[in-house]
Amino acid sequence: MSDDTDACSIAASLGIVGDRWTILILRDAFRGLRRFDEFRRDLDIPRAVLAERLRRLVDHGVMTRRAYQERPVRHEYRLTRMGLELSPILVSLMQWGDRWCREDGPPTLLVHADCGTEIDLHFHCWHCDTPFSATDIASRPGPGEHHRPMPPLEGADPEEPPGDEPSSHRAATG
Amino acid sequence: MSDDTDACSIAASLGIVGDRWTILILRDAFRGLRRFDEFRRDLDIPRAVLAERLRRLVDHGVMTRRAYQERPVRHEYRLTRMGLELSPILVSLMQWGDRWCREDGPPTLLVHADCGTEIDLHFHCWHCDTPFSATDIASRPGPGEHHRPMPPLEGADPEEPPGDEPSSHRAATG
DNA sequence: CCACGTCGGTTCGCTCGCTGAACCGAGTTG
DNA sequence: CAACTCGGTTCAGCGAGCGAACCGACGTGG
């Protein structure tokens, strides 16, 4: 693969979590699963693959392996802070799937635990105090090296989504 | 694979974009690349794989293929609205990589085009008017079928990130 | 006219990773 | 001591990814 890990943090992230099984394991971890066999049964994943993926996640610091009992010693896997911070990725994957991969509406809603309000993960500029969309994103060099510019973006056909309106807010093209 | 596509929109999304090359192709599309050879050279991806991935993306409605010239007829690939709405996934992958996969700081910053303010993709409850994190997420059944509950989440070791503070949504560095 | 270059692919062996199934070791249960 | 649990490892087979070659439609230059 083009190892543009240096120039692109997306490529860097994919080096750790850029694989279907890994994402599903993490999803299950967010759902509270911790044990090898829980993951294995839920995902119906080959044992060897699960073992290898968990090892990778632990090696990278995304999960920890700790004994939850001695005699016989058995281990469980938990998300670290690094792992917990993957949540926006999983949430955005879920919301995109909700929106574009089904007609019958989301099977599960995510809400703010404190108040039960549905989670809304859209771009919002705290400076302009306004929502915006992908076409309103620009890029500029960061403190790290290896910047590659991103020209202004333009979509192709503005095909309508299957179901409802984009959202209550989200102005942009509308 | 456990085809829990019905129960889980994450699995459904992964069925379309759950593959390393596909994500990198989409990243390049967001950066403005459109032609077969642009993708191929930038990613150094095998031609056959690129052709197959683009075909899949077009089949699923994420990109369109349209001729940009006749004689000889040549095609370009563009993001549809469905594709453009993948941006939160890519942005969150990028921000996670910025934060956890490098010490030297992000190579590229994404900003709101209108005002240049850095993009901040964190959870924010518009009801409580407060930011929150993964551990403050709960779930409940949605309108679709097949709900699977998510118990309250608890991380393992609250290991510190390499760089700055976690919460208090990091404003633009400047 | 013919050789060469460009662009968007397809075809072809080879290899490498995923797969399901079997096996294993430490320990508990009956 | 046989059976079961849990967390793995090992192994043969197969399919997906790989680099390289080839292809077809067209423009270019000699």
Side-chain angles (χ1 to χ4, degrees), chain A residues 150-164:
Chain A
M150 187 177 95
L153 199 52
E154 190 188 342
D157 310 333
E159 299 158 5
E160 279 318 303
D164 53 6

Side-chain angles (χ1 to χ4, degrees), chain A:
Chain A
M1 122 133 59
S2 76
D3 208 345
D4 46 3
T5 297
D6 289 337
C8 176
S9 293
I10 293 178
S13 296
L14 292 179
I16 301 179
V17 298
D19 147 273
R20 201 203 239 61
W21 281 128
T22 300
I23 297 284
L24 291 173
I25 291 166
L26 291 167
R27 178 204 64 179
D28 274 6
F30 274 98
R31 282 179 41 222
L33 307 203
R34 291 178 183 170
R35 298 190 187 174
F36 191 92
D37 230 49
E38 289 178 319
F39 291 115
R40 201 197 56 75
R41 270 200 298 271
D42 185 76
L43 296 174
D44 195 27
I45 181 179
R47 293 166 171 282
V49 177
L50 177 56
E52 192 269 346
R53 293 298 194 280
L54 289 172
R55 205 179 307 130
R56 276 175 57 83
L57 288 171
V58 170
D59 287 349
H60 283 103
V62 175
M63 304 188 85
T64 46
R65 189 173 106 121
R66 68 155 60 142
Y68 65 89
Q69 71 170 35
E70 315 292 331
R71 31 192 2 81
V73 56
R74 298 233 192 285
H75 300 277
E76 65 177 9
Y77 296 87
R78 294 210 200 193
L79 295 166
T80 61
R81 167 177 278 287
M82 186 182 180
L84 284 172
E85 290 198 8
L86 287 163
S87 51
I89 297 170
L90 296 180
V91 171
S92 49
L93 272 170
M94 178 172 151
Q95 294 194 349
W96 189 83
D98 283 344
R99 182 165 174 66
W100 293 99
C101 301
R102 52 180 73 252
E103 303 89 26
D104 57 345
T108 298
L109 295 178
L110 297 183
V111 297
H112 182 209
D114 292 1
C115 68
T117 303
E118 195 175 341
I119 290 180
D120 163 49
L121 194 63
H122 287 106
F123 300 120
H124 188 99
C125 181
W126 57 264
H127 177 264
C128 306
D129 191 27
T130 174
F132 59 95
S133 67
T135 48
D136 297 316
I137 298 176
S139 77
R140 61 164 204 244
E145 304 295 318
H146 321 288
H147 176 64
R148 285 149 90 190
M150 187 177 95
L153 199 52
E154 190 188 342
D157 310 333
E159 299 158 5
E160 279 318 303
D164 53 6
E165 200 83 358
S167 187
S168 51
H169 41 234
R170 155 179 305 221
T173 49

Side-chain angles (χ1 to χ4, degrees), chain B residues 126-148:
Chain B
W126 55 264
H127 177 264
C128 306
D129 192 27
T130 175
F132 59 95
S133 67
T135 48
D136 298 316
I137 297 177
S139 77
R140 60 163 204 247
E145 304 295 319
H146 321 286
H147 176 64
R148 285 149 90 189

